[in-house]
Amino acid sequence: MSNSPMDKAKGKAKEMTGKVTGDRRKEAEGKTDQAKGKAKDAMDRAKGMKDSMGDKD
């Protein structure tokens, strides 16, 4: 199982901290973590679709 929900939550927290403190680097790191979480979700969905189709070879 993937950590994507945790990655997204951690990223959101970093982004908000960066916004509040004016730390643009922290804000950017948060956005990057959120993107990683979304990418992991997409990969998990693609793998699930592939698995559900079975091996056709």
Side-chain angles (χ1 to χ4, degrees):
M1 182 166 223
S2 155
N3 275 354
S4 62
M6 185 61 91
D7 291 330
K8 289 189 277 187
K10 178 178 75 170
K12 191 66 174 174
K14 273 187 186 179
E15 181 185 2
M16 290 295 109
T17 300
K19 282 183 179 184
V20 169
T21 62
D23 185 343
R24 289 185 175 186
R25 183 176 180 162
K26 182 71 70 180
E27 187 177 344
E29 285 176 10
K31 289 180 180 182
T32 299
D33 288 345
Q34 289 177 73
K36 286 179 187 177
K38 289 177 184 178
K40 286 179 184 178
D41 280 346
M43 291 298 292
D44 288 346
R45 281 192 306 274
K47 184 180 181 313
M49 287 176 65
K50 181 181 177 223
D51 290 347
S52 70
M53 294 177 73
D55 190 7
K56 305 270 183 194
D57 291 337

